[in-house]
Amino acid sequence: MSTIASDPLWLPHRYDPAQDAVHFRHTPRAAHGAATFLTDEYLGAATPRIVGRAAALAQAGPAAPLHFVLHSAFCCSTLLARAFDAPGLAMGLKEPVILNDLIGWQLRGGDGRQIAGVLDGALRLLERPFGPGEAVVIKPSNVCNAMAPLMLQFRPKSRALLLHAPLRVFLGSVARKGMDGRRWVRELLVKQLKQGLHGFGYSGEDYLQQTDLQIAAMGWLAQHALFARMAAQFGPQVRCLDSDQLLASPAAAMAALARLFDVPLDAEAIVAGPIFSRHSKFGQAFTSEDRAKERAAEAAHQEEIEKVAIWTDAVAKAAGVPLQLPQPLLG
């Protein structure tokens, strides 16, 4: 067991605050590639090896350069994480659950100083290189965005991409997902309210009177406001991009992101390869025509989407939230 915490093939999967222990599960590189996210749903059942946090950190070994793809959901973030699964250069980690565990602890009222210390340790375990000279790129779940400023403070040499979908695209994605999408945005709102991300002057009763797509827009705007603050706070440590820009200029975006992370990826080869031609979550072939069909499926919701987008623009102006984020990755 003494070598588990030094071996990147043992994923620091969960954190147990009651025991101050990390649950590791054996996760070879191929398993990372096959899994949509690093959750039990996609990785399958496994018996964890449990190591006390202090012992795990003492065993951790050297750290890799660590970078982040931070996102506000439905914006090709999983695709980018997959692009950094490049043996010899980098490894992309897709939504490690240990970070979600810390958010859950926070939402249950955990002590902020204790959580901060464990967060620093979790990053230390996640940044173990998979091979000599490799960087690590973490794509956290978007529910972890509230902790993103602290992550960058802990890792001043790290760089982060702040990725989002344009508002109308985001709303279309929610509408297209039906009840599951509408329930998800309400669950996100509850978490964001507990995290203090909503400074828009609305009460709980106000939110109850809003439609599902208004709730979706407010969740999007809360993350957008956070990204704007992070761009102002961290300056060149972060860059901003939207998913339409990524899809319109994929080679340029990948080349710029590789420069930001100082990872010498072959952007043209990645864009020409399977990562950009298959659905990043489900694995089947996925073309620009398929993407256009998804957008066409949103046509029945266009009137509501447009009304909500205009309303959100007014809320953003009143709150001083720029819809065009600074520190662009492109241009």
Side-chain angles (χ1 to χ4, degrees):
M1 184 175 295
S2 62
T3 64
I4 285 177
S6 63
D7 184 350
L9 299 186
W10 283 90
L11 173 71
H13 183 49
R14 306 297 303 263
Y15 175 71
D16 178 0
Q19 301 297 323
D20 193 20
V22 179
H23 291 211
F24 290 84
R25 61 168 295 160
H26 194 257
T27 311
R29 192 161 199 149
H32 281 268
T36 301
F37 304 124
L38 297 178
T39 63
D40 291 334
E41 176 185 359
Y42 294 101
L43 292 173
T47 301
R49 302 287 289 273
I50 301 172
V51 182
R53 180 170 61 95
L57 292 173
Q59 301 165 16
L66 178 66
H67 305 294
F68 300 94
V69 174
L70 304 168
H71 63 98
S72 56
F74 312 144
C75 55
C76 303
S77 58
T78 304
L79 181 155
L80 293 183
R82 288 190 181 280
F84 281 92
D85 182 359
L89 300 176
M91 182 60 185
L93 304 182
K94 304 182 293 282
E95 305 201 2
V97 180
I98 193 170
L99 299 179
N100 294 50
D101 283 343
L102 301 187
I103 292 296
W105 189 16
Q106 178 193 60
L107 294 174
R108 295 191 302 272
D111 180 84
R113 289 170 296 182
Q114 288 184 322
I115 294 171
V118 177
L119 172 63
D120 188 26
L123 296 178
R124 181 67 190 84
L125 295 172
L126 290 168
E127 67 189 353
R128 299 163 303 166
F130 276 69
E134 289 192 13
V136 173
V137 176
I138 300 177
K139 184 207 106 156
S141 167
N142 74 309
V143 76
C144 299
N145 285 340
M147 283 186 175
L150 189 56
M151 294 181 195
L152 292 184
Q153 289 173 22
F154 282 148
R155 296 295 183 276
K157 293 183 179 180
S158 295
R159 299 291 179 264
L161 178 70
L162 310 182
L163 181 68
H164 69 282
L167 176 59
R168 288 169 175 80
V169 174
F170 180 85
L171 294 176
S173 295
V174 173
R176 189 175 69 246
K177 290 173 173 58
M179 186 179 75
D180 288 342
R182 292 168 185 266
R183 179 177 177 179
W184 178 83
V185 296
R186 289 189 173 275
E187 291 174 346
L188 179 64
L189 173 71
V190 171
K191 294 171 183 175
Q192 288 179 335
L193 288 171
K194 290 182 178 179
Q195 292 169 328
L197 294 180
H198 282 249
F200 306 115
Y202 290 115
S203 67
E205 185 175 333
D206 292 329
Y207 283 120
L208 283 172
Q209 296 184 68
Q210 292 177 2
T211 68
D212 292 333
L213 289 194
Q214 283 180 295
I215 293 295
M218 293 307 298
W220 179 93
L221 189 61
Q223 295 178 105
H224 214 66
L226 174 62
F227 284 176
R229 294 193 297 272
M230 290 181 64
Q233 178 180 356
F234 294 102
Q237 197 175 350
V238 305
R239 288 290 184 268
C240 299
L241 181 71
D242 76 49
S243 56
D244 277 5
Q245 293 171 325
L246 169 62
L247 296 174
S249 303
M254 281 304 309
L257 186 56
R259 289 193 297 272
L260 179 67
F261 292 165
D262 194 24
V263 175
L265 293 178
D266 185 337
E268 295 284 353
I270 288 173
V271 171
I275 291 171
F276 272 76
S277 62
R278 305 193 73 80
H279 198 292
S280 60
K281 291 185 173 63
F282 306 120
Q284 78 271 22
F286 193 72
T287 66
S288 57
E289 288 78 12
D290 294 319
R291 189 169 288 108
K293 289 178 182 177
E294 281 192 345
R295 298 282 175 90
E298 300 161 11
H301 308 281
Q302 283 307 309
E303 181 181 3
E304 183 183 5
I305 289 171
E306 191 60 27
K307 288 179 178 178
V308 171
I310 293 170
W311 171 80
T312 307
D313 182 62
V315 175
K317 288 178 179 176
V321 179
L323 294 185
Q324 187 70 35
L325 293 175
Q327 301 289 355
L329 181 70
L330 297 176

